[in-house]
Amino acid sequence: MDPEKRKLLDCWRLRIRIAQTAHFRYADLLKRRHYHFGLPVVILSTVVGTSVFASLSDDPSTILKIVVGLVSLLAAILSSLQTFLDFSTQSEKHRVAAAKFSELKKKLEKELAFTDKNEALLNDFVNQILKDWNSINSDCPLPPGKLYNKVFNELDGKRCFPLDQIE
């Protein structure tokens, strides 16, 4: 394989790895956020439910009524935010995107390991990689730019993007 083509495919592999890693990390972050909202909702709702029974006594104190009302309000707010932000669905979309990028990266790595194809077969392979890559990009959500940039720097993405070539 021509060294320039090899370099291009190596850079593509790195770019795919960066996308894969960013999506996996964001999926994990969103899953944690789902639990950070979900667990308090369950706990607060349970507290409210048991407090309502406690307040059924003859004459509950005003402070108990206020506390139960505030806890109930907090549980409702957290539950609404959890539903609105839908962290679990977002997490799953990023996990699926990461898995697709992982599959594409493995396909490319396999090709790089077995480089004895002729030029026509190599061109067909490159075209298929581009087609698959574009398909994944069009179907998946984007991870936050800050997270992507962090992964880009950790994996030394600049070696495939010299500063003088970045606009």
Side-chain angles (χ1 to χ4, degrees):
M1 177 186 299
D2 180 311
E4 286 300 311
K5 289 179 183 175
R6 173 69 188 214
K7 183 178 177 184
L8 173 68
L9 293 179
D10 281 335
C11 285
W12 283 7
R13 179 180 55 177
L14 176 62
R15 291 172 59 191
I16 293 168
R17 181 174 176 221
I18 290 167
Q20 170 199 357
T21 303
H23 280 286
F24 270 131
R25 286 190 188 171
Y26 197 52
D28 288 344
L29 175 69
L30 290 169
K31 191 58 122 179
R32 283 193 308 272
R33 286 182 182 167
H34 172 74
Y35 287 117
H36 288 157
F37 275 82
L39 291 175
V41 166
V42 169
I43 293 167
L44 293 174
S45 297
T46 303
V47 168
V48 168
T50 56
S51 299
V52 167
F53 283 111
S55 68
L56 292 177
S57 65
D58 290 341
D59 189 25
S61 71
T62 305
I63 292 178
L64 179 60
K65 289 178 186 177
I66 291 172
V67 168
V68 169
L70 289 175
V71 171
S72 177
L73 180 64
L74 182 59
I77 290 169
L78 288 175
S79 178
S80 298
L81 282 172
Q82 184 183 29
T83 301
F84 176 73
L85 296 172
D86 201 10
F87 290 128
S88 61
T89 301
Q90 288 183 58
S91 174
E92 183 60 18
K93 286 179 181 178
H94 284 281
R95 192 199 61 72
V96 167
K100 288 180 180 180
F101 278 116
S102 178
E103 182 181 331
L104 184 63
K105 182 177 62 105
K106 288 174 187 170
K107 187 176 180 180
L108 185 54
E109 288 169 342
K110 178 182 167 196
E111 180 65 25
L112 288 171
F114 302 100
T115 58
D116 57 350
K117 288 189 175 184
N118 66 37
E119 284 297 311
L121 291 175
L122 183 61
N123 286 337
D124 289 344
F125 173 78
V126 167
N127 289 333
Q128 186 60 48
I129 288 290
L130 283 174
K131 181 180 174 188
D132 293 347
W133 196 349
N134 288 333
S135 175
I136 295 169
N137 278 332
S138 68
D139 292 343
C140 72
L142 293 173
K146 187 174 181 179
L147 174 65
Y148 185 89
N149 290 338
K150 181 178 180 185
V151 173
F152 182 88
N153 290 329
E154 286 174 7
L155 297 178
D156 194 24
K158 288 182 182 172
R159 67 186 150 146
C160 286
F161 296 94
L163 290 177
D164 61 338
Q165 293 181 6
I166 299 176
E167 294 182 25

